[in-house]
Amino acid sequence: MQKTIIVTGAGSGIGSATANAFLDDGYRVGFLGRRAATLEAAANGHENALLLPCDVSNPADVDAAFATAISSWGRLDILFNNAGIGSPPASVDETDVDVWMNVVAINLTGSFLCARAAFAQMRSQSPQGGRIINNGSISAHAPRPGSAPYTSTKHAITGLTKSLSLDGRAYDICASQIDIGNALTEMAVPMTKGVPQADGSIRAEATMDVAHVASSVLHMANLPLDANVQFMTVMAPKMPFIGRG
């Protein structure tokens, strides 16, 4: 049987690269994201791509998108919870409350809502089970300067991953987290030119090809359900993480 996956934030960057890697591996792939035109461009007319326009912070949108996928496929094997946004660098006292609320809504609430929908399907389907892979970040371990909203949500994703792992045991639902450092997407281009460091300097940082992220997620997803990569860090080895600050 052809396996199925929903990738959130699939219109660009890590999401697009990963969704297309799964298409290449023979999966039926749900491209979920806010902008239909962006999803259409990312999927490039592939016969196994299903476009799922959706705001992950909106519960009704999420329920409708997952219902569309399940009605098309009959089951869900994998969710890659990838959708996320950053915020302008600012100390916590200079961070606008609306910025905080928006980052939390997309990065954390969105991941919860999609995991909730996937978990319900994986628990009820036959054969039971599936896999939820959350996109954490190097910032789930060590913050960048002026990143309270983003870093807080990524630390929270680790708690969500662990809770899903525990709650999923009885239903053969595995949960994993991939912590990504400096994959070269449009969002990461500023890192090649210079970004703030913990010592107050501005320096360029090493990056890696986003394809390495896609292949890592694919490896995690293709394991049998009696094995799990609980946490994986994939990063540019010369970026500041070990010894950051």
Side-chain angles (χ1 to χ4, degrees):
M1 181 184 294
Q2 201 171 18
K3 294 183 75 174
T4 62
I5 180 172
I6 290 175
V7 177
T8 72
S12 62
I14 289 168
S16 175
T18 303
N20 278 284
F22 276 84
L23 286 176
D24 290 344
D25 201 56
Y27 278 73
R28 301 176 75 180
V29 180
F31 283 66
L32 189 151
R34 282 181 291 182
R35 293 177 292 276
T38 305
L39 297 177
E40 187 174 2
N44 196 29
H46 198 290
E47 63 179 357
N48 287 328
L50 177 65
L51 306 187
L52 300 170
C54 173
D55 175 355
V56 296
S57 69
N58 183 308
D61 268 18
V62 171
D63 287 346
F66 276 75
T68 297
I70 301 311
S71 68
S72 298
W73 301 334
R75 66 176 288 111
L76 177 63
D77 295 298
I78 314 287
L79 165 66
F80 180 36
N81 241 340
N82 166 73
I85 59 171
S87 56
S91 63
V92 67
D93 59 311
E94 295 175 337
T95 298
D96 190 279
V97 173
D98 287 341
V99 169
W100 168 272
M101 298 294 282
N102 193 40
V103 173
V104 170
I106 301 295
N107 294 9
L108 182 55
T109 302
S111 293
F112 161 75
L113 291 173
C114 291
R116 180 177 182 271
F119 195 104
Q121 174 59 32
M122 293 170 181
R123 179 178 178 175
S124 63
Q125 64 195 10
S126 181
Q128 197 174 58
R131 192 179 301 274
I132 297 170
I133 303 172
N134 292 325
N135 185 345
S137 171
I138 295 299
S139 293
H141 305 274
R144 289 187 177 278
S147 66
Y150 182 80
T151 296
S152 297
T153 60
K154 292 305 183 178
H155 275 66
I157 289 296
T158 301
L160 177 62
T161 300
K162 291 179 179 180
S163 290
L164 291 170
S165 293
L166 183 57
D167 292 350
R169 285 178 185 172
Y171 312 109
D172 286 332
I173 300 171
C174 295
S176 307
Q177 181 171 316
I178 183 165
D179 295 320
I180 301 161
N182 289 16
L184 187 52
T185 63
E186 184 178 336
M187 190 182 205
V189 167
M191 295 177 186
T192 67
K193 301 176 181 178
V195 290
Q197 305 295 313
D199 63 3
S201 65
I202 304 290
R203 291 198 299 274
E205 295 187 7
T207 59
M208 65 173 177
D209 193 317
V210 70
H212 299 312
V213 177
S215 64
S216 297
V217 177
L218 186 62
H219 168 71
M220 297 166 81
N222 280 340
L223 288 172
L225 291 177
D226 62 355
N228 190 41
V229 176
Q230 186 67 66
F231 292 95
M232 177 190 286
T233 300
V234 57
M235 55 178 276
K238 294 183 180 180
M239 69 169 286
F241 171 43
I242 306 303
R244 183 187 283 186

